[in-house]
Amino acid sequence: MKMKATLVSGLVALSFGASAAQADTVTIGMITTLSGGGAGLGVDVRDGFQLALEQAGNADIRLVVEDDAQRPETAVQIAERMIQSERADILTGIIWSNLAMAVVPSVVAQDIFYISPNAGPSPLAGANCHPNYFNAAWQNDTLHEAAGQTANEQGYTNTFIMAPNYPAGTDALNGFKRYYQGELAGELFTQVGQTDYAAEIAQIRASGADSVFIFLPGGMGISFVRQYEQSGVDLPIISAGFSFDQDVLPAMGSAALGVINTGQWSPDLNNDTNIAFVADFQEAYGRLPSIYASQGFDTANLILSALNTAEVSDQDAFRDALRAAEFDSVRGSFAFASNHHPIHRIYVREVVEVDGALTNRIIGTAFEDDYRDIHGENCSM
Amino acid sequence: MSLALFIEQLLNGVQFGLMLFLMSAGLTLVFGVMGLINLAHGSLYMIGAFFCAAAAAATGSFWLGLVAGLAAAAAAGAIIEITVIRRLYDRDHLDQVLATFALILILSEGVRMIFGPFPLYLNVPDSLRGTIDLGITQYSLYRLTLIGFGIAVAVGLWLLIARTRLGIRIRAGENDREMIAALGVNIRVLYTVVFALGAALAGLAGALVGAIQSVQVGMGEPVLILAFVVIVIGGIGSIKGAMVGALMVGVIDTMGRFLLPRFFATFLEPSQAMGVGAALASMLIYVLMALVLVLRPKGLFPAHA
Amino acid sequence: MREMRREHMLNVLLAVALFAVPLWAYFASEPFVITLATRVAILAMAGVGLNLALGLGGMVSFGHAVFFGLGGYCAGVLAHHAFSGTPVLMGLPGTNQMLVIWLVAMLTSGLLALVIGALSLRTSGIFFIMITLAFAQMFFYFALSWPAYGGEDGLPIFVRNQFPGLNTMRPWELFVVAYGLLMLVLALFAVIRASRFGAALMAIRQNPDRAAAVGISPFGVKLVAFVISGMITGMAGAMMADLTRFVSPAMMAWQMSGELIVIIILGGTGRLFGPVAGAAILVGFEVIFGGMTEHWKFWLGLVLLAVVLFARGGFVGLLAGRDRHG
């Protein structure tokens, strides 16, 4: 029987395009969103990641990219394929929290490393943290907490807050309220994927608020900002950076000018790694990098730095190497907390126009270098 | 709650309803004349928005963009009708659903191949920016223009159908298909024209709404499903039904999102009321549709009564 | 007669192939192929459910994803409570036993199908398509915005539910469960089709007036068929949740309803093994072309269009002849 199995597996290797990897090659599986409305984010993460790999020129790394179409069940299926037939050692790439929650727990339980370039749902930072899971971007609440802190510093005392009615939206509002000290002029849930915000804007107008906090990623943010500009309500908007970054700013146009948002990164961050990254990315892809591209770039460099000191097959050594995070992050200072989520500085940014293109510029700091998320308290690592 | 807020919400509901009417009118016209159910109608809306955005960016004029969006949608409609839809008229609804579902996949991916994965920029023309004072409340000038467009198209459509030769043929086609063929009307051309007209209306809606929403792949599908709700409530095939249904859906959806959370807040704690209210508001129009169908299985204005 | 024999041979071939391919993968240590085969079996099961309503009864339900999703949530919610040791409802405990979960999934889906069917079957034709879509959207939005079981984020099942005597975490053993269940459901479909009830159902599809004239109540027969159809699709949903170890509102989305219809049409409407062929084609297409191009949906659309326009009998019809019995 055993001989037959060997023979058959030889045939399989042939029929599957000889996917069996050579001994020294490290296979990285990237599951990300390349089709549908959220494709821009996945494309940026992928491009940032690939840029770092090309710059490193490491021939022993094989990157396999596949589109999850923003569907959890598809992502789960791809993860299984990457582990079972591509023999991936490391997985990465997922953009959305709900997809991460579907994929990550079972992946890390199979002794595969997962490095998140974007999503950071709170269970994975707290009670369900795992030695094989690292987040190179942020915990989901982080930028919203920073927005709450920024609202205080801007002197807002009566903010109207709004987010879509799904768990990431609830987390956003809770994150904001965790640091915000003023009164709430109103609190609203919108529908996921909602395109018309006239009803909400009318309520903002009637609420007597002095500012508005929104979390409306992707197309929802574009719709809101355009309609808000036309409504004549001119209260300042404050938000987390992922609703106001390079993927959506060109589509928002001047309506986004002046919006204050928070981020762990900004294109004008003045450190050598970032200056080179922004220039190289523009040269390679002909567009400005977004916060997502910066995260893809950091994720790849984190993995590369760990591969330089340890074999991925030696799991404990590789894990220690990841934990050390000895790479030059585009965001400057970067370290891992005990729950494998970043300790980093969070900046306050403003949307401005530079040479006819909308982009962000740093105007302050919301949290200093030692910021870490609160969910780590629930993590037993 | 002030009267001004209530009136502003009512206007919002009407504006939303009129845009839904532009979508639904084409859908219901195509069903009424050709007996075809077209899931790809939302893709034509998307095509209108994308071509409007691209042309506006190239020329710097929103109005030229609007023309381009309308023309692109009409042309796409005509091409689709000639190559695919034509073969579906004497098929059952199942084949129509499936073929037009396939068209959604093709058109969505096709648009993404041409325009890329990122949302496009399209803004309100300068002359229509800002707000206008209606006495009791400020209101967005552009939204007011949308209301105007909606009414104008509704009147135009009514005139077209009631007063022109094309309209006579359309009405004849709704009543008896063999008859108008016998009368020497070139039915193939008529069908292509009607389909392109419906497509143009969808493209117009996409371009108009695109200026205050996100122009992105997949933008047509939520509107498509709402448009189906509208025509089912109104009675499939009836333009009048589409108008009544669209206004009902627009106003009820807007008011539901606005009032339900407030209603629950009178006896639940605020955060809970907000969640329950928002959840129920999102189901409201489907409940309405189910209710109408249970009470009047062929909609409010059955076209072939 | 010859065509019936050809279809019969094709059915046997499909049944054997669906078992042989993962068996080969098992010995070749290609667990992913087994997972794919399991997925095919489960989607086929959901398709058999819809095939009963759509293929035999002519009820074009554009909302069958609601049963698929509800079944999935039954598995997810029960497992969630079993895992956390909290009661589901009024002191009733959760469970991680597949057999119990299937029963619950079938009961709840059947109940929902009874309500939806009773209201929807008052209409027909395009109105039926639309109202089933509307009901599915209603529950989709409810699942999306109801925070108790994760809302849009969905609900993970950390450990697969259990089947007596098997280890369901092993791909092969889970496949055996899914395959066995699929064969049972196919047998049920064949029995129904051959029964007097099935004859009445098909008679109603072909000519409701004549059926009514000979004393068959179209409403009653169709409603029963719709309920059984919902139950089967619901059970498939529970299995799917266990395969992916995850449930989310996406299982109820209208695209899922569309996909179920696609499975049936690709395979051959009303054919016993149509859904098996359809599910295999769909999954195969996704795996092969999804790896080659990110625009694979474009090509899927073209293929679908070609099937609808030029190959109306689907895969089974293509190979076994166009004539459809019944």
Side-chain angles (χ1 to χ4, degrees):
Chain A
M1 198 48 133
K2 187 155 188 210
M3 214 177 82
K4 192 176 162 207
T6 320
L7 184 73
V8 173
S9 60
L11 284 173
V12 171
L14 278 177
S15 60
F16 278 82
S19 62
Q22 273 106 39
D24 302 328
T25 311
V26 174
T27 300
I28 302 175
M30 175 176 278
I31 308 162
T32 196
T33 303
L34 303 172
S35 66
L41 284 66
V43 168
D44 267 2
V45 163
R46 178 195 65 188
D47 289 352
F49 196 95
Q50 278 181 337
L51 181 68
L53 287 193
E54 280 159 24
Q55 290 180 347
N58 188 336
D60 295 336
I61 296 178
R62 196 169 67 98
L63 178 68
V64 186
V65 184
E66 203 164 330
D67 174 24
D68 59 31
Q70 207 175 332
R71 290 172 56 163
E73 60 277 22
T74 308
V76 169
Q77 197 189 337
I78 297 171
E80 300 224 341
R81 194 181 72 78
M82 291 208 165
I83 295 170
Q84 295 173 355
S85 49
E86 302 282 357
R87 314 274 189 245
D89 308 287
I90 301 164
L91 292 185
T92 182
I94 294 177
I95 302 294
W96 315 95
S97 294
N98 54 334
L99 273 68
M101 283 306 292
V103 169
V104 172
S106 70
V107 164
V108 292
Q110 297 175 61
D111 287 337
I112 307 287
F113 286 98
Y114 184 86
I115 325 286
S116 175
N118 197 59
S122 48
L124 296 179
N128 291 326
C129 64
H130 193 280
N132 286 348
Y133 172 78
F134 288 82
N135 186 312
W138 24 255
Q139 201 281 316
N140 280 2
D141 302 2
T142 301
L143 301 192
H144 306 299
E145 291 173 350
Q149 178 70 17
T150 306
N152 298 333
E153 281 162 17
Q154 296 283 327
Y156 302 150
T157 55
N158 197 21
T159 304
F160 195 103
I161 65 175
M162 189 167 99
N165 188 20
Y166 71 123
T170 319
D171 288 349
L173 298 189
N174 288 337
F176 181 85
K177 287 191 273 188
R178 196 172 292 140
Y179 282 82
Y180 175 62
Q181 288 157 351
E183 300 281 314
L184 291 180
E187 186 171 358
L188 265 189
F189 272 142
T190 60
Q191 279 179 42
V192 176
Q194 185 171 324
T195 51
D196 199 288
Y197 294 90
E200 287 75 15
I201 292 169
Q203 295 183 58
I204 292 172
R205 190 202 305 277
S207 69
D210 65 359
S211 54
V212 181
F213 166 76
I214 57 160
F215 168 59
L216 294 169
M220 294 188 273
I222 298 174
S223 301
F224 175 81
V225 169
R226 292 240 197 100
Q227 293 163 24
Y228 188 76
E229 187 196 25
Q230 296 308 317
S231 71
V233 182
D234 53 4
L235 304 174
I237 296 180
I238 189 161
S239 180
F242 19 72
S243 301
F244 289 91
D245 213 277
Q246 225 55 51
D247 56 320
V248 291
L249 282 181
M252 283 177 174
S254 59
L257 276 177
V259 168
I260 290 178
N261 64 92
T262 53
Q264 82 286 2
W265 174 86
S266 182
D268 62 332
L269 251 181
N270 195 12
N271 64 60
D272 294 345
T273 317
N274 191 49
I275 292 167
F277 163 68
V278 173
D280 295 344
F281 189 93
Q282 270 185 290
E283 194 189 313
Y285 303 106
R287 62 176 196 272
L288 281 171
S290 68
I291 199 166
Y292 308 104
S294 85
Q295 291 158 197
F297 190 77
D298 266 1
T299 305
N301 280 323
L302 167 68
I303 295 171
L304 287 164
S305 74
L307 286 173
N308 280 340
T309 55
E311 294 280 333
V312 71
S313 51
D314 183 355
Q315 292 230 333
D316 291 332
F318 188 71
R319 189 177 302 117
D320 287 339
L322 282 173
R323 212 178 268 145
E326 278 173 7
F327 71 104
D328 294 324
S329 167
V330 289
R331 71 191 84 169
S333 152
F334 183 105
F336 276 122
S338 61
N339 63 348
H340 293 181
H341 281 62
I343 303 174
H344 50 178
R345 181 188 297 213
I346 308 298
Y347 298 95
V348 182
R349 319 184 302 175
E350 182 185 5
V351 179
V352 293
E353 192 169 338
V354 177
D355 303 331
L358 290 172
T359 182
N360 277 290
R361 178 188 74 181
I362 295 174
I363 58 167
T365 303
F367 296 131
E368 292 300 334
D369 283 348
D370 59 349
Y371 168 84
R372 60 180 76 196
D373 65 88
I374 64 156
H375 299 286
E377 295 165 8
N378 304 322
C379 167
S380 54
M381 285 194 304
Chain B
M1 176 180 52
S2 69
L3 183 67
L5 178 60
F6 190 81
I7 288 179
E8 184 175 352
Q9 296 290 31
L10 206 60
L11 277 173
N12 287 333
V14 169
Q15 180 259 311
F16 182 38
L18 284 169
M19 287 302 107
L20 279 179
F21 169 72
L22 290 190
M23 273 297 278
S24 321
L27 207 55
T28 206
L29 199 62
V30 166
F31 187 85
V33 178
M34 288 96 101
L36 179 98
I37 166 171
N38 178 22
L39 292 186
H41 202 64
S43 304
L44 297 163
Y45 172 88
M46 172 182 72
I47 287 174
F50 267 91
F51 277 86
C52 176
T59 62
S61 160
F62 173 82
W63 302 110
L64 284 178
L66 193 63
V67 172
L70 196 117
I79 293 170
I80 291 169
E81 201 275 342
I82 290 167
T83 53
V84 178
I85 301 289
R86 186 167 279 187
R87 299 164 205 274
L88 296 170
Y89 293 138
D90 44 9
R91 296 289 191 87
D92 57 20
H93 291 317
L94 177 60
D95 283 358
Q96 297 175 350
V97 164
L98 209 73
T100 51
F101 183 74
L103 280 176
I104 294 184
L105 298 180
I106 295 171
L107 292 174
S108 293
E109 282 306 314
V111 164
R112 204 162 69 85
M113 284 185 208
I114 298 172
F115 294 100
F118 296 97
L120 293 196
Y121 173 75
L122 176 64
N123 207 353
V124 172
D126 288 340
S127 53
L128 296 177
R129 282 163 171 265
T131 58
I132 193 165
D133 194 354
L134 296 179
I136 41 172
T137 180
Q138 292 276 321
Y139 199 66
S140 157
L141 183 57
Y142 188 72
R143 282 187 192 275
L144 214 56
T145 314
L146 292 187
I147 292 180
F149 258 103
I151 294 172
V153 169
V155 171
L157 208 56
W158 177 75
L159 284 175
L160 177 83
I161 289 173
R163 298 285 160 83
T164 65
R165 176 165 296 194
L166 178 65
I168 293 170
R169 288 175 181 172
I170 288 175
R171 276 181 291 150
E174 282 176 340
N175 293 324
D176 192 341
R177 269 173 242 176
E178 285 78 26
M179 188 64 177
I180 54 165
L183 287 173
V185 174
N186 186 337
I187 203 147
R188 291 195 127 191
V189 174
L190 176 69
Y191 282 5
T192 308
V193 168
V194 170
F195 196 85
L197 176 67
L201 289 176
L204 178 69
L208 286 173
V209 170
I212 50 170
Q213 285 183 8
S214 174
V215 178
Q216 61 183 10
V217 173
M219 65 185 286
E221 280 146 33
V223 194
L224 169 80
I225 292 182
L226 285 179
F228 273 123
V229 172
V230 164
I231 65 171
V232 166
I233 288 176
I236 303 178
S238 161
I239 300 269
K240 186 165 103 184
M243 183 51 122
V244 174
L247 287 176
M248 273 173 81
V249 168
V251 171
I252 289 176
D253 186 59
T254 305
M255 286 306 187
R257 281 195 278 134
F258 165 50
L259 293 176
L260 275 180
R262 287 169 185 249
F263 169 71
F264 283 104
T266 55
F267 54 90
L268 290 177
E269 60 165 297
S271 65
Q272 210 183 354
M274 190 171 62
V276 174
L280 288 183
S282 67
M283 298 168 70
L284 198 58
I285 53 165
Y286 299 102
V287 176
L288 171 76
M289 167 170 166
L291 263 180
V292 168
L293 279 190
V294 167
L295 298 175
R296 304 190 63 154
K298 288 203 177 294
L300 296 176
F301 299 92
H304 302 279
Chain C
M1 201 60 210
R2 232 184 85 219
E3 275 163 359
M4 265 192 77
R5 206 160 52 222
R6 255 168 60 192
E7 180 176 347
H8 192 69
M9 273 175 59
L10 188 67
N11 291 350
V12 172
L13 206 70
L14 279 168
V16 171
L18 184 58
F19 194 80
V21 170
L23 185 68
W24 159 78
Y26 174 67
F27 286 112
S29 302
E30 281 289 342
F32 182 66
V33 176
I34 305 176
T35 305
L36 280 183
T38 316
R39 196 176 152 78
V40 170
I42 294 171
L43 283 175
M45 211 186 313
V48 172
L50 179 60
N51 206 14
L52 195 70
L54 193 154
L56 297 188
M59 294 173 269
V60 184
S61 165
F62 202 4
H64 249 53
V66 72
F67 307 120
F68 195 63
L70 184 64
Y73 269 97
C74 285
V77 168
L78 288 172
H80 172 77
H81 286 288
F83 190 74
S84 63
T86 49
V88 182
L89 207 68
M90 297 179 293
L92 285 171
T95 176
N96 58 2
Q97 289 302 313
M98 279 192 182
L99 291 172
V100 182
I101 288 172
W102 294 346
L103 198 70
V104 175
M106 285 200 294
L107 282 178
T108 48
S109 308
L111 207 63
L112 182 65
L114 185 69
V115 176
I116 293 182
L119 294 172
S120 310
L121 285 170
R122 295 165 53 93
T123 66
S124 63
I126 186 169
F127 287 95
F128 182 80
I129 301 180
M130 288 303 133
I131 195 170
T132 45
L133 172 67
F135 276 117
Q137 286 295 107
M138 216 154 96
F139 284 90
F140 169 72
Y141 280 116
F142 182 76
L144 204 66
S145 43
W146 193 253
Y149 295 110
E152 195 198 6
D153 279 3
L155 188 63
I157 300 173
F158 292 110
V159 184
R160 247 177 221 150
N161 295 305
Q162 292 161 9
F163 191 89
L166 292 175
N167 178 358
T168 52
M169 285 308 278
R170 297 209 183 107
W172 172 252
E173 295 181 29
L174 185 71
F175 169 76
V176 170
V177 174
Y179 185 83
L181 209 54
L182 173 66
M183 289 302 137
L184 267 179
V185 165
L186 284 169
L188 180 72
F189 183 89
V191 167
I192 289 178
R193 191 172 61 176
S195 69
R196 283 185 52 197
F197 173 77
L201 187 60
M202 287 182 279
I204 292 167
R205 185 192 75 221
Q206 279 150 2
N207 193 332
D209 296 336
R210 195 189 304 160
V214 297
I216 302 170
S217 147
F219 184 81
V221 171
K222 281 172 122 174
L223 185 59
V224 171
F226 194 77
V227 169
I228 300 174
S229 162
M231 289 167 87
I232 295 174
T233 305
M235 188 169 68
M239 273 303 292
M240 186 55 101
D242 259 321
L243 174 66
T244 54
R245 276 171 279 166
F246 185 75
V247 227
S248 78
M251 280 179 86
M252 295 191 186
W254 71 278
Q255 287 92 343
M256 186 71 221
S257 296
E259 247 169 57
L260 288 178
I261 298 182
V262 166
I263 284 172
I264 293 189
I265 307 290
L266 278 181
T269 320
R271 309 276 190 166
L272 177 61
F273 268 71
V276 180
I281 294 172
L282 190 72
V283 170
F285 201 94
E286 188 176 324
V287 170
I288 295 168
F289 286 85
M292 276 161 42
T293 160
E294 56 191 77
H295 298 293
W296 67 274
K297 279 192 180 161
F298 183 84
W299 303 107
L300 176 66
L302 281 184
V303 169
L304 254 181
L305 200 56
V307 169
V308 182
L309 292 181
F310 308 112
R312 296 179 65 184
F315 178 79
V316 176
L318 211 63
L319 294 185
R322 296 186 61 121
D323 268 350
R324 195 162 93 181
H325 37 84

